[in-house]
Amino acid sequence: MSTGLIVLLVVLAVLAIAIAALYFLGRKAQKRQAEQQEQINAMKQTVSMLIIDKKRMKIKDAGLPQAVIAQTPKLLRGSKLPIVKAKIGPQIMTLVSDEKIFEMIPVKKEVKATVSGIYITDVKGLHGKPLVAPQKKKGRFRQALEKAQEKAGAKPIK
């Protein structure tokens, strides 16, 4: 056998092992996520709250309870999370928002939120009105492209 064929077989074997390992790790992570989602759904409750402030902060700077920080893996402690400060009844609490709904949360407004522990999973307007996410700002490239198309008389891209 030539050395090129041997190298090719070794590379294919390594790739096959890597794909199999990723497959099994992915299935394990998917099962763990499903269990966590079941726990969140079991603990959820709807509360009325006044949103004071929201921003992305590191866990250790967010003012979360020490028990939450201790349970967080060390690699994730430096990552930024969507943090919401809200007044629930007479208490001011620091909560963690779901990434999907963070942009829809209005600041300095009262909302009805579905909360599971310190995790906000859903937000609605006070009287059941749906909230809409604010439109994203256009970047400089998109603005320049639209100006150029207006001058050329072409239809703008949306």
Side-chain angles (χ1 to χ4, degrees), residues 39-138:
Q39 288 177 345
I40 286 173
N41 289 340
M43 297 285 293
K44 71 180 179 182
Q45 50 186 301
T46 303
V47 294
S48 180
M49 62 175 68
L50 173 69
I51 307 296
I52 298 171
D53 189 22
K54 69 174 190 174
K55 61 175 92 168
R56 296 186 193 282
M57 299 176 75
K58 292 185 178 181
I59 293 177
K60 56 187 172 186
D61 300 335
L64 292 170
Q66 193 60 38
V68 173
I69 296 171
Q71 287 178 349
T72 306
K74 290 190 179 188
L75 291 174
L76 295 177
R77 289 185 192 170
S79 64
K80 291 187 176 183
L81 289 177
I83 302 293
V84 176
K85 283 201 181 224
K87 184 174 183 185
I88 303 172
Q91 260 185 323
I92 295 178
M93 296 182 67
T94 303
L95 304 166
V96 179
S97 171
D98 191 1
E99 195 70 46
K100 299 172 202 163
I101 64 161
F102 182 67
E103 295 301 321
M104 292 187 335
I105 298 175
V107 180
K108 297 185 178 151
K109 298 232 172 145
E110 197 163 344
V111 295
K112 283 198 183 269
T114 305
V115 179
S116 177
I118 63 164
Y119 193 68
I120 301 174
T121 57
D122 191 27
V123 174
K124 293 180 183 161
L126 190 58
H127 301 289
K129 296 178 185 176
L131 297 173
V132 287
Q135 287 186 341
K136 291 184 178 179
K137 294 181 181 178
K138 295 180 182 175

